[in-house]
Amino acid sequence: MTEKTTMATATAEGEVFREKVLALAGEVVLTCIQCGTCSASCPTAHMMDTPIRKLVKLVLEGEKEAALLSRSIWLCTSCLLCTVRCPRNIRPMAVVAALKSIYEDEGMKCKDSVFEGIFARQIRNYGRISEVLLSAEYMIRSPSSAVQIMSFGAELVPKGKIELGFEAAKGERIEGTEEMKRIFDLVGDEKRAEAEKAEAVGEAEEATK
Amino acid sequence: MRIGVYVCHCGLNIAGVLEPSSLTEFAKTLPDVEVARDLQFTCSDTGQETIKEDIVEHKLDSVVVAACSPRLHEPTFRRVISEAGLNPFMLEMANIREQCSWVHMDEPPQAQEKAKDLIRMAVAKAALLNPLQGETMPVSRGVLIVGGGVAGIQAALDLADSGLHVYLVERKPTIGGYMALLTDVFPTNDCSICVLAPKMTDVYNHPLITLMTYAEILNIEGSVGRFTVSGVKKARFVDEKLCKGCINECAGVCPVEVPDEYEFGLGKRKAIYMPIPQSVPLIACVDPEACIGCGLCSEACPVDAVKYDQRQEEFRFDVGAIIVATGWQSFDPARKEEYGYGRFRDVITGLQVERLLNAAGPTGGEVVRPSTGEVAKSVAFLQCVGSRDETVGNQYCSRVCCMYALKNAPLIKEKYPDAEVSIHYIDLRAGGEGYEEFYMRAQRLGVNFIRGRVSEVEKVDGHLRVNYEDTLLGGFRSKPYDLVVLSAGLEANKEADVIGNLLGLSKRPDRFFEIAHPKMRPVEAHIDGVFIAGCASGPKEIQVSIAQGEAAAAKSMRLLLRGELTLDPVVAMVDTEKCIGCKLCVETCPSKAISVDKTALVDEAACKGCGTCAAACPVDAIDMRLFSDEQILAQVRAATAVKGQYPFIVGFLCNWCSYAGADLAGTSRIQYPTNMRAIRVMCAGRVDPAFVIEALKGGADGVLISGCRLGECHYSKGNYQAYQRVQVLRGVLEKVGINPGRVKIVWCAASEGEILAKEVRTFVRELKEMGPVGTELRVLGVPEPPGGDR
């Protein structure tokens, strides 16, 4: 038993980590009863190494490394089923979001975070995704993992799921990309968001007068 | 004997299947029947008047009503015949609705034959009925309460306020019990002693409460309504009338220090001491084990209250009822050696942490490590220590430990926000008003909840480590703590055994006192006039103990406030000429109602009328009123007089479960074969093997005995005795060559009409396979046909 036994000292770092997650996802996470409704509801749970129920527990016990290194946080599709069904009104998805954000802050990197970064930036800049550009950039930034999914990509081309060619490579934009950027800027900066919202309300009131 | 028989149509409920008019004509042919009529609704005013007129006009001695179940209208018709001047017990009912027309709707001809048999059986019994009178007996208006914890205190106050005299006997020098020693209590975090102390003072000041502390009961005699209690008040070596309770004067000079049992060993007290500051009565007490007799306290006492020559005083009083509120004792956590209690000073119990958190406790409310005296920075609560653990013989959940840990962990967290506090649990059980909310509050305060039972507590480099499997995260862990609190379970109070033995209380396998019914009679003991409140019957929270104290008080009031008791006349009678004083009946009686002094003597106040003794008596010296051997045998003979059906079954159904179950089959219209003729007995234990043999002799192909499910007997153990007797009887039958499968005993609860119906169906099938009774004798020497249930 001794060799398998791990120390469960709540380290100072673990403490700080837990507080960070609670600050982002809400103190209500403390009231988790580990019922498993979230994991059982999750549509991607079968692909996860750590079910979301366990992820929440890892956070509460200050197990920073295990929580951040779990691939589960990148497999979450933000469908919010967990959040809708949680009997204690915890938002498990918010815990995942908090973990992603801490991951970035810590300067950690993995193929999933790289992919998510490219994905998010394309949405920010163009308001939509260009499969060609996404694949191209992913190939440059994370060649080894990109090779793994290349054959899958090749299957998609004849089906018309991925458009090739010069037009596609230019990247199509939606209207109002400026607003898209502002949304991105405001996410994670609630104070500024609140301030802008108040400003907007004020302006609207002015206008009605 | 002049008998009137009344056959009810019950609208079409009976008349839709049976023919009441031809049943009436049949009844007229039976011996002793003076008049027989069929009535539309016998229970209606017209029906009742007809019976009353007939009783006067035809000078009837007894009445048979063939209608619904006696469990429904027996009280009605007893009232009717008594209004016409008959003794209410001169009534017999034939259950032709619930146990005939409603369960044989598809077989009217066979049902009609069965109804005839049922009427013949009822008439046979009616001819042998005797007038019975429930005796009234004056009762004492006093109540003994054993144990001055919160349950006993509450019961005492309620009873005294209702005008009954209470004798509250407590073994310790003060009342208050464990509740007086706790810190805040869940789920409201009231200060425990603050809410209890006023009640303790009320007990002391109530003119109708005689409080006897530091006292022990040595003997209890008598039965319901007239118990005599005697015992002793131990010597305190302090004059109760003189002592002013100042304690500092005497204890201040006392040179002897011993561990304080009221601090659970965490503090010390002197040889002369006051148990707790709020002691009731507020009188010092000298510990004779510790005192060295130096005389310093005696000199110091300003009122000369210390009396070294004080003797114990005897007491004796009469009461009508007894409430057992003897409480619990803590599981000794040293028995779980792996947790290190007694080896490591920083491993303490839940009760000890209550004292540490208590502002009036040994540390003034600081939660410190006993080894260093420093405040603990990390605290672990280990749940289920001595509960849910068969290795220490405690299968049960102690019910309060989750909640007290959920209370104490946040109390520590509130006092020391930086402390790390964890609860190691198997399951968290927070069932109760406001309890889940209480749990959520603990979570929000940042208490860690770790699921997994701790395997051991070790000391590594001078630090306690707790080893466990984190069953939620997976993996084995080892976590260091400053202080480990063992949430020790609640056990039955061993010191209450004396009272249990004096009263003849039974115990459950968990060693707590058994209540009369695990659901329906929560504060009654098996013994009449004895009630059980609080943790004496199992672990309970304070609020439930209080509720039980109140319930036991209400039950005692119901028993005693009228000043007299009407006894049920259905009791056992002893024929002293026949009795050989073998004491078998004493062992058999579940109510401790029989004593033997040369011959057996039945205490009619204590007897509940089950009749197990009558069935057990080897010389037939005991008989039951209303269910006498003669009456039941007459029913058996009447049942088998015309064997109109094959296979023919005589049934004996216990009044409380199986007969009620058969009635339920009726009200639920569950159909079963018409082959059984049922005889109602108070308990399956009443069934004398002689009844069974009489039935077989009369030509019955089988006998079915049905009692309450095992463990649910109305009289506690009657069904077990019935089972034993049937086993013996089957052995005898086998020896004489009769298939033992012809006698069957089954269990059926009042809610199990379907089970009773199924048992009848099965038995009919089995008996068909066996052939008519006696088949086996004709082919004696040849192996028995299959189907014998051995």
Side-chain angles (χ1 to χ4, degrees):
Chain A
M1 169 165 169
T2 38
E3 58 177 1
K4 272 194 263 172
T5 301
T6 54
M7 299 289 281
T9 321
T11 59
E13 203 188 351
E15 262 319 284
V16 173
F17 166 71
R18 180 166 83 158
E19 292 310 315
K20 254 191 207 164
V21 179
L22 291 179
L24 288 168
E27 294 275 319
V28 69
V29 176
L30 286 170
T31 66
C32 174
I33 45 173
Q34 291 285 296
C35 64
T37 307
C38 48
S39 309
S41 303
C42 179
T44 49
H46 62 288
M47 298 159 77
M48 291 181 173
D49 50 6
T50 309
I52 184 144
R53 188 260 317 151
K54 200 167 162 185
L55 212 53
V56 172
K57 190 67 185 166
L58 285 170
V59 166
L60 291 178
E61 294 202 7
E63 304 260 352
K64 181 178 172 180
E65 208 178 286
L68 289 182
L69 290 182
S70 163
R71 204 179 167 207
S72 303
I73 58 178
W74 307 108
L75 292 172
C76 168
T77 61
S78 310
C79 71
L80 292 174
L81 255 187
C82 54
T83 301
V84 171
R85 289 180 178 167
C86 173
R88 283 281 218 228
N89 270 335
I90 296 165
R91 297 177 302 141
M93 206 292 273
V95 174
V96 174
L99 290 175
K100 283 183 185 171
S101 147
I102 293 168
Y103 190 90
E104 299 273 317
D105 290 350
E106 297 273 324
M108 293 166 79
K109 220 174 96 174
C110 67
K111 57 176 183 173
D112 297 310
S113 70
V114 166
F115 186 86
E116 185 139 326
I118 302 167
F119 191 97
R121 205 171 50 253
Q122 283 204 1
I123 297 283
R124 184 178 190 269
N125 293 339
Y126 308 125
R128 57 158 296 166
I129 291 294
S130 155
E131 285 85 359
V132 175
L133 286 182
L134 185 70
S135 319
E137 192 172 347
Y138 190 43
M139 207 173 288
I140 298 163
R141 301 264 306 272
S142 184
S144 62
S145 31
V147 166
Q148 282 171 21
I149 58 164
M150 230 147 113
S151 61
F152 177 60
E155 276 176 42
L156 293 179
V157 176
K159 289 180 182 162
K161 298 283 179 194
I162 294 182
E163 247 181 89
L164 296 173
F166 180 71
E167 279 303 311
K170 258 184 11 191
E172 206 177 310
R173 279 164 198 270
I174 62 159
E175 282 174 27
T177 44
E178 280 311 307
E179 278 170 26
M180 207 66 214
K181 275 182 193 158
R182 255 182 63 214
I183 291 174
F184 268 78
D185 290 343
L186 290 179
V187 170
D189 192 347
E190 280 178 26
K191 269 187 201 156
R192 209 178 120 198
E194 284 298 316
E196 290 209 1
K197 198 172 148 196
E199 212 173 284
V201 170
E203 275 170 20
E205 275 171 8
E206 286 287 314
T208 48
K209 274 175 195 171
Chain B
M1 194 60 101
R2 301 162 70 88
I3 302 171
V5 180
Y6 299 88
V7 183
C8 189
H9 288 245
C10 198
L12 286 177
N13 282 310
I14 292 170
V17 179
L18 308 175
E19 287 173 31
S21 54
S22 76
L23 289 175
T24 309
E25 291 311 311
F26 164 75
K28 283 179 184 163
T29 66
L30 295 171
D32 295 329
V33 173
E34 189 64 26
V35 56
R37 293 178 201 282
D38 51 309
L39 300 167
Q40 267 301 321
F41 288 101
T42 316
C43 58
S44 69
D45 284 352
T46 342
Q48 295 189 11
E49 284 311 312
T50 311
I51 296 178
K52 283 189 210 170
E53 283 163 18
D54 277 357
I55 291 174
V56 177
E57 193 182 322
H58 295 275
K59 300 193 180 62
L60 299 181
D61 298 310
S62 64
V63 168
V64 169
V65 178
C68 51
S69 168
R71 289 178 58 89
L72 184 68
H73 271 319
E74 196 173 64
T76 315
F77 294 117
R78 277 190 178 162
R79 180 181 48 74
V80 169
I81 67 168
S82 71
E83 280 168 8
L86 276 187
N87 180 285
F89 289 91
M90 300 303 284
L91 170 81
E92 181 64 20
M93 289 187 75
N95 187 344
I96 60 168
R97 192 180 74 169
E98 280 87 342
Q99 297 188 14
C100 193
S101 70
W102 275 352
V103 287
H104 311 309
M105 298 167 95
D106 305 328
E107 307 169 90
Q110 288 94 325
Q112 180 81 3
E113 287 311 303
K114 176 171 170 179
K116 281 183 187 170
D117 286 351
L118 291 176
I119 292 171
R120 190 188 307 109
M121 289 156 71
V123 170
K125 183 167 178 185
L128 295 167
L129 289 174
N130 298 309
L132 298 175
Q133 200 64 54
E135 274 178 53
T136 55
M137 172 188 98
V139 291
S140 156
R141 290 171 63 90
V143 180
L144 163 69
I145 298 177
V146 191
V150 66
I153 287 173
Q154 187 62 44
L157 291 173
D158 281 3
L159 284 167
D161 283 347
S162 79
L164 293 172
H165 194 104
V166 174
Y167 298 89
L168 179 55
V169 178
E170 166 61 50
R171 204 167 36 84
K172 295 233 167 74
T174 178
I175 56 169
Y178 277 107
M179 187 180 168
L181 307 174
L182 305 179
T183 177
D184 301 350
V185 283
F186 63 80
T188 46
N189 281 2
D190 289 303
C191 149
S192 190
I193 190 69
C194 311
V195 288
L196 182 65
K199 283 183 188 287
M200 292 161 65
T201 321
D202 286 352
V203 165
Y204 188 69
N205 292 326
H206 205 295
L208 284 180
I209 299 178
T210 306
L211 175 61
M212 280 176 273
T213 53
Y214 213 36
E216 276 187 45
I217 291 168
L218 298 177
N219 198 20
I220 301 175
E221 281 170 354
S223 58
V224 58
R226 47 185 182 185
F227 292 103
T228 303
V229 182
S230 54
V232 290
K233 273 181 82 171
K234 289 182 276 187
R236 287 169 184 267
F237 305 105
V238 173
D239 190 316
E240 293 189 22
K241 291 195 183 71
L242 295 178
C243 179
K244 300 279 177 274
C246 53
I247 199 70
N248 286 345
E249 313 290 331
C250 53
V253 295
C254 178
V256 187
E257 275 196 341
V258 289
D260 188 350
E261 61 267 42
Y262 294 90
E263 301 287 3
F264 306 110
L266 286 175
K268 289 207 171 3
R269 66 161 169 81
K270 298 295 182 65
I272 186 165
Y273 67 106
M274 184 71 76
I276 52 171
Q278 301 83 353
S279 291
V280 169
L282 197 65
I283 298 166
C285 188
V286 174
D287 177 353
E289 307 272 306
C291 178
I292 52 169
C294 64
L296 284 174
C297 55
S298 177
E299 278 170 33
C301 179
V303 290
D304 289 334
V306 181
K307 307 282 182 206
Y308 292 122
D309 56 351
Q310 199 179 53
R311 295 279 174 86
Q312 65 177 35
E313 290 170 36
E314 289 179 7
F315 61 77
R316 189 183 174 84
F317 51 81
D318 292 333
V319 291
I322 296 174
I323 296 175
V324 177
T326 44
W328 56 282
Q329 67 179 35
S330 174
F331 169 77
D332 174 13
R335 289 178 61 201
K336 294 296 293 176
E337 286 178 16
E338 58 268 42
Y339 291 158
Y341 183 79
R343 272 189 295 141
F344 309 138
R345 288 187 67 195
D346 295 341
V347 176
I348 64 173
T349 66
L351 281 170
Q352 287 176 317
V353 92
E354 293 280 347
R355 294 310 297 166
L356 289 181
L357 280 162
N358 199 319
T363 56
E366 297 294 331
V367 180
V368 300
R369 303 170 62 180
S371 63
T372 61
E374 288 165 15
V375 169
K377 292 194 186 66
S378 54
V379 184
F381 285 84
L382 272 47
Q383 297 306 104
C384 299
V385 177
S387 308
R388 306 177 75 188
D389 185 349
E390 296 197 24
T391 65
V392 295
N394 295 342
Q395 275 189 353
Y396 59 91
C397 162
S398 289
R399 187 161 147 171
V400 296
C401 324
C402 281
M403 286 305 290
Y404 78 62
L406 283 175
K407 163 181 71 81
N408 290 335
L411 284 178
I412 295 174
K413 197 76 185 166
E414 278 173 338
K415 203 170 175 91
Y416 313 103
D418 292 335
E420 196 199 335
V421 184
S422 305
I423 298 180
H424 293 261
Y425 67 98
I426 308 174
D427 293 298
L428 271 173
R429 296 180 170 179
E433 294 87 16
Y435 288 12
E436 185 71 13
E437 294 88 332
F438 197 77
Y439 167 28
M440 227 187 290
R441 189 173 159 273
Q443 288 182 307
R444 283 185 179 274
L445 277 167
V447 173
N448 296 330
F449 288 88
I450 301 173
R451 186 168 169 278
R453 194 162 175 278
V454 168
S455 63
E456 64 201 325
V457 178
E458 344 174 85
K459 204 165 193 176
V460 181
D461 302 330
H463 226 95
L464 292 181
R465 301 200 69 89
V466 163
N467 297 335
Y468 60 95
E469 181 189 357
D470 189 324
T471 57
L472 289 171
L473 289 182
F476 306 102
R477 311 284 168 114
S478 177
K479 208 166 153 73
Y481 289 104
D482 284 349
L483 189 67
V484 171
V485 182
L486 305 180
S487 294
L490 278 59
E491 286 190 332
N493 187 355
K494 277 207 188 77
E495 281 161 333
D497 283 357
V498 183
I499 299 296
N501 291 338
L502 286 174
L503 288 170
L505 298 180
S506 46
K507 286 177 170 189
R508 286 192 305 258
D510 64 10
R511 305 181 301 284
F512 287 95
F513 290 131
E514 189 172 49
I515 46 177
H517 187 282
K519 179 172 284 292
M520 303 306 289
R521 297 163 77 193
V523 296
E524 289 168 73
H526 290 293
I527 313 295
D528 270 356
V530 179
F531 306 99
I532 308 173
C535 291
S537 58
K540 281 170 196 74
E541 309 95 299
I542 290 165
Q543 48 273 59
V544 180
S545 293
I546 291 176
Q548 290 214 330
E550 289 169 341
K555 283 280 175 192
S556 309
M557 289 177 211
R558 177 177 165 272
L559 189 66
L560 304 180
L561 274 180
R562 269 179 299 159
E564 59 176 29
L565 209 60
T566 306
L567 304 178
D568 188 345
V570 183
V571 292
M573 308 171 290
V574 180
D575 183 339
T576 45
E577 305 254 301
K578 283 190 191 167
C579 177
I580 51 168
C582 68
K583 295 190 183 174
L584 249 178
C585 49
V586 179
E587 280 169 39
T588 314
C589 180
S591 313
K592 313 274 170 205
I594 311 183
S595 53
V596 170
D597 176 26
K598 284 185 191 157
T599 57
L601 184 73
V602 175
D603 179 343
E604 294 193 9
C607 175
K608 291 184 178 176
C610 66
T612 322
C613 54
C617 181
V619 291
D620 275 345
I622 306 186
D623 209 350
M624 302 304 297
R625 296 218 179 99
L626 204 61
F627 292 92
S628 71
D629 285 357
E630 192 192 15
Q631 289 165 351
I632 295 176
L633 286 170
Q635 280 176 293
V636 172
R637 284 182 207 118
T640 53
V642 180
K643 217 184 117 187
Q645 221 175 349
Y646 164 77
F648 193 84
I649 304 171
V650 173
F652 293 94
L653 307 184
C654 107
N655 176 60
W656 305 100
C657 290
S658 304
Y659 198 86
D663 281 354
L664 180 69
T667 45
S668 321
R669 310 294 197 277
I670 297 167
Q671 306 296 301
Y672 58 86
T674 54
N675 309 51
M676 184 170 77
R677 309 290 179 261
I679 294 171
R680 179 164 73 134
V681 286
M682 292 310 279
C683 177
R686 171 68 184 101
V687 180
D688 194 313
F691 303 163
V692 179
I693 290 168
E694 186 69 24
L696 294 174
K697 226 164 69 184
D701 301 305
V703 174
L704 185 75
I705 299 161
S706 182
C708 303
R709 294 193 297 201
L710 290 172
E712 294 177 12
C713 174
H714 186 79
Y715 306 100
S716 166
K717 303 277 184 301
N719 45 4
Y720 287 95
Q721 295 184 359
Y723 182 72
Q724 259 179 1
R725 267 178 221 136
V726 167
Q727 293 308 79
V728 172
L729 180 62
R730 282 154 71 113
V732 173
L733 290 179
E734 194 173 14
K735 280 207 182 96
V736 300
I738 292 176
N739 190 329
R742 294 193 183 277
V743 181
K744 193 169 183 184
I745 186 159
V746 297
W747 318 119
C748 163
S751 60
E752 297 180 332
E754 180 53 59
I755 297 218
L756 191 97
K758 198 188 82 193
E759 295 291 357
V760 174
R761 272 180 231 129
T762 318
F763 198 31
V764 165
R765 202 182 55 236
E766 287 170 1
L767 289 172
K768 274 184 184 159
E769 281 170 17
M770 282 178 225
V773 68
T775 314
E776 53 269 58
L777 294 176
R778 261 170 258 135
V779 294
L780 205 63
V782 178
E784 271 179 50
D789 181 11
R790 269 167 301 165

Short mmCIF file of all heavy atoms in Angstrom, two decimals, chain A residues 56-83:
data_model
loop_
_atom_site.label_atom_id
_atom_site.label_comp_id
_atom_site.label_asym_id
_atom_site.label_seq_id
_atom_site.Cartn_x
_atom_site.Cartn_y
_atom_site.Cartn_z
N VAL A 56 -14.32 18.27 -10.38
CA VAL A 56 -14.75 19.20 -9.33
C VAL A 56 -14.10 18.81 -8.00
O VAL A 56 -13.62 19.65 -7.25
CB VAL A 56 -16.29 19.21 -9.22
CG1 VAL A 56 -16.74 20.02 -8.02
CG2 VAL A 56 -16.91 19.76 -10.50
N LYS A 57 -14.07 17.50 -7.73
CA LYS A 57 -13.48 17.02 -6.47
C LYS A 57 -11.97 17.33 -6.43
O LYS A 57 -11.44 17.70 -5.39
CB LYS A 57 -13.75 15.51 -6.32
CG LYS A 57 -13.40 14.95 -4.96
CD LYS A 57 -14.33 15.49 -3.88
CE LYS A 57 -13.92 15.04 -2.49
NZ LYS A 57 -14.61 15.82 -1.46
N LEU A 58 -11.32 17.15 -7.57
CA LEU A 58 -9.88 17.45 -7.63
C LEU A 58 -9.63 18.91 -7.28
O LEU A 58 -8.71 19.24 -6.54
CB LEU A 58 -9.32 17.14 -9.02
CG LEU A 58 -9.12 15.67 -9.37
CD1 LEU A 58 -8.79 15.51 -10.85
CD2 LEU A 58 -8.02 15.04 -8.52
N VAL A 59 -10.50 19.78 -7.80
CA VAL A 59 -10.38 21.21 -7.49
C VAL A 59 -10.54 21.43 -5.99
O VAL A 59 -9.73 22.11 -5.36
CB VAL A 59 -11.44 22.01 -8.28
CG1 VAL A 59 -11.55 23.43 -7.71
CG2 VAL A 59 -11.11 22.03 -9.75
N LEU A 60 -11.59 20.80 -5.42
CA LEU A 60 -11.87 21.03 -4.00
C LEU A 60 -10.75 20.50 -3.11
O LEU A 60 -10.54 21.00 -2.01
CB LEU A 60 -13.20 20.39 -3.61
CG LEU A 60 -14.44 21.07 -4.22
CD1 LEU A 60 -15.71 20.34 -3.81
CD2 LEU A 60 -14.52 22.54 -3.80
N GLU A 61 -10.05 19.50 -3.56
CA GLU A 61 -8.96 18.98 -2.75
C GLU A 61 -7.62 19.63 -3.13
O GLU A 61 -6.56 19.19 -2.69
CB GLU A 61 -8.90 17.45 -2.85
CG GLU A 61 -10.15 16.84 -2.22
CD GLU A 61 -9.99 15.40 -1.78
OE1 GLU A 61 -8.87 14.88 -1.85
OE2 GLU A 61 -11.01 14.81 -1.38
N GLY A 62 -7.68 20.64 -3.97
CA GLY A 62 -6.46 21.38 -4.31
C GLY A 62 -5.48 20.60 -5.16
O GLY A 62 -4.27 20.86 -5.13
N GLU A 63 -5.97 19.65 -5.93
CA GLU A 63 -5.09 18.82 -6.75
C GLU A 63 -4.87 19.52 -8.10
O GLU A 63 -5.39 19.11 -9.14
CB GLU A 63 -5.72 17.43 -6.96
CG GLU A 63 -6.03 16.71 -5.67
CD GLU A 63 -4.97 15.68 -5.31
OE1 GLU A 63 -4.08 15.43 -6.15
OE2 GLU A 63 -5.03 15.15 -4.20
N LYS A 64 -4.06 20.57 -8.04
CA LYS A 64 -3.89 21.43 -9.20
C LYS A 64 -3.41 20.68 -10.45
O LYS A 64 -4.03 20.76 -11.52
CB LYS A 64 -2.89 22.52 -8.83
CG LYS A 64 -2.63 23.52 -9.94
CD LYS A 64 -1.67 24.58 -9.45
CE LYS A 64 -1.25 25.47 -10.61
NZ LYS A 64 -0.33 26.51 -10.15
N GLU A 65 -2.34 19.94 -10.27
CA GLU A 65 -1.72 19.30 -11.43
C GLU A 65 -2.69 18.35 -12.13
O GLU A 65 -2.91 18.43 -13.34
CB GLU A 65 -0.48 18.54 -10.98
CG GLU A 65 0.56 18.42 -12.07
CD GLU A 65 1.78 17.70 -11.54
OE1 GLU A 65 2.54 18.32 -10.77
OE2 GLU A 65 1.96 16.52 -11.90
N ALA A 66 -3.30 17.47 -11.31
CA ALA A 66 -4.20 16.48 -11.89
C ALA A 66 -5.36 17.17 -12.61
O ALA A 66 -5.80 16.73 -13.68
CB ALA A 66 -4.73 15.57 -10.79
N ALA A 67 -5.86 18.25 -12.02
CA ALA A 67 -7.01 18.92 -12.62
C ALA A 67 -6.62 19.59 -13.94
O ALA A 67 -7.32 19.45 -14.93
CB ALA A 67 -7.58 19.95 -11.65
N LEU A 68 -5.49 20.29 -13.94
CA LEU A 68 -5.11 21.03 -15.14
C LEU A 68 -4.63 20.12 -16.26
O LEU A 68 -4.79 20.43 -17.44
CB LEU A 68 -4.03 22.06 -14.80
CG LEU A 68 -4.49 23.26 -13.96
CD1 LEU A 68 -3.33 24.22 -13.73
CD2 LEU A 68 -5.65 23.99 -14.62
N LEU A 69 -4.04 18.98 -15.90
CA LEU A 69 -3.51 18.10 -16.94
C LEU A 69 -4.57 17.17 -17.54
O LEU A 69 -4.30 16.44 -18.48
CB LEU A 69 -2.34 17.28 -16.40
CG LEU A 69 -1.07 18.10 -16.12
CD1 LEU A 69 0.05 17.21 -15.62
CD2 LEU A 69 -0.63 18.87 -17.37
N SER A 70 -5.78 17.23 -16.96
CA SER A 70 -6.82 16.37 -17.51
C SER A 70 -7.24 16.87 -18.90
O SER A 70 -7.45 18.06 -19.11
CB SER A 70 -8.03 16.39 -16.58
OG SER A 70 -9.13 15.89 -17.28
N ARG A 71 -7.37 15.91 -19.83
CA ARG A 71 -7.77 16.31 -21.17
C ARG A 71 -9.26 16.69 -21.22
O ARG A 71 -9.73 17.32 -22.16
CB ARG A 71 -7.48 15.15 -22.13
CG ARG A 71 -7.30 15.68 -23.55
CD ARG A 71 -6.99 14.65 -24.58
NE ARG A 71 -7.17 15.29 -25.89
CZ ARG A 71 -7.48 14.64 -26.98
NH1 ARG A 71 -7.62 13.34 -26.95
NH2 ARG A 71 -7.63 15.28 -28.11
N SER A 72 -9.97 16.27 -20.15
CA SER A 72 -11.41 16.50 -20.12
C SER A 72 -11.77 17.95 -20.36
O SER A 72 -12.76 18.27 -21.01
CB SER A 72 -11.98 16.08 -18.76
OG SER A 72 -11.68 14.74 -18.52
N ILE A 73 -10.94 18.87 -19.81
CA ILE A 73 -11.32 20.27 -19.91
C ILE A 73 -11.37 20.73 -21.37
O ILE A 73 -12.08 21.66 -21.69
CB ILE A 73 -10.42 21.18 -19.05
CG1 ILE A 73 -8.95 21.06 -19.44
CG2 ILE A 73 -10.57 20.86 -17.58
CD1 ILE A 73 -8.04 22.00 -18.62
N TRP A 74 -10.61 20.06 -22.24
CA TRP A 74 -10.63 20.45 -23.65
C TRP A 74 -11.70 19.70 -24.44
O TRP A 74 -11.99 20.02 -25.58
CB TRP A 74 -9.25 20.21 -24.29
CG TRP A 74 -8.19 20.90 -23.47
CD1 TRP A 74 -7.27 20.32 -22.66
CD2 TRP A 74 -8.00 22.31 -23.35
NE1 TRP A 74 -6.51 21.26 -22.04
CE2 TRP A 74 -6.93 22.51 -22.44
CE3 TRP A 74 -8.63 23.43 -23.92
CZ2 TRP A 74 -6.47 23.77 -22.09
CZ3 TRP A 74 -8.16 24.69 -23.56
CH2 TRP A 74 -7.09 24.85 -22.65
N LEU A 75 -12.26 18.67 -23.85
CA LEU A 75 -13.30 17.90 -24.54
C LEU A 75 -14.70 18.41 -24.24
O LEU A 75 -15.67 18.00 -24.85
CB LEU A 75 -13.19 16.42 -24.16
CG LEU A 75 -11.92 15.73 -24.68
CD1 LEU A 75 -11.80 14.33 -24.10
CD2 LEU A 75 -11.92 15.68 -26.19
N CYS A 76 -14.78 19.30 -23.27
CA CYS A 76 -16.08 19.88 -22.91
C CYS A 76 -16.60 20.69 -24.10
O CYS A 76 -15.88 21.49 -24.67
CB CYS A 76 -15.93 20.77 -21.70
SG CYS A 76 -17.37 21.79 -21.37
N THR A 77 -17.86 20.45 -24.48
CA THR A 77 -18.42 21.18 -25.62
C THR A 77 -19.25 22.37 -25.17
O THR A 77 -19.95 22.97 -25.97
CB THR A 77 -19.30 20.25 -26.46
OG1 THR A 77 -20.37 19.81 -25.61
CG2 THR A 77 -18.53 19.06 -26.98
N SER A 78 -19.22 22.64 -23.89
CA SER A 78 -20.01 23.75 -23.33
C SER A 78 -21.49 23.60 -23.63
O SER A 78 -22.19 24.58 -23.86
CB SER A 78 -19.53 25.10 -23.86
OG SER A 78 -18.15 25.20 -23.72
N CYS A 79 -21.99 22.37 -23.62
CA CYS A 79 -23.41 22.19 -23.94
C CYS A 79 -24.28 22.57 -22.75
O CYS A 79 -25.48 22.75 -22.89
CB CYS A 79 -23.69 20.74 -24.33
SG CYS A 79 -23.59 19.59 -22.94
N LEU A 80 -23.67 22.63 -21.55
CA LEU A 80 -24.34 23.08 -20.33
C LEU A 80 -25.36 22.10 -19.74
O LEU A 80 -26.10 22.45 -18.85
CB LEU A 80 -25.02 24.44 -20.55
CG LEU A 80 -24.07 25.62 -20.76
CD1 LEU A 80 -24.86 26.86 -21.11
CD2 LEU A 80 -23.25 25.87 -19.51
N LEU A 81 -25.38 20.85 -20.24
CA LEU A 81 -26.30 19.87 -19.64
C LEU A 81 -25.99 19.67 -18.16
O LEU A 81 -26.88 19.59 -17.33
CB LEU A 81 -26.18 18.53 -20.36
CG LEU A 81 -27.31 18.16 -21.31
CD1 LEU A 81 -27.11 16.74 -21.80
CD2 LEU A 81 -28.67 18.29 -20.64
N CYS A 82 -24.70 19.60 -17.83
CA CYS A 82 -24.28 19.43 -16.44
C CYS A 82 -24.84 20.55 -15.59
O CYS A 82 -25.35 20.34 -14.49
CB CYS A 82 -22.76 19.39 -16.34
SG CYS A 82 -21.95 20.81 -17.10
N THR A 83 -24.76 21.75 -16.13
CA THR A 83 -25.15 22.93 -15.39
C THR A 83 -26.67 22.99 -15.21
O THR A 83 -27.17 23.39 -14.17
CB THR A 83 -24.64 24.17 -16.14
OG1 THR A 83 -23.23 24.04 -16.22
CG2 THR A 83 -25.00 25.45 -15.45
#
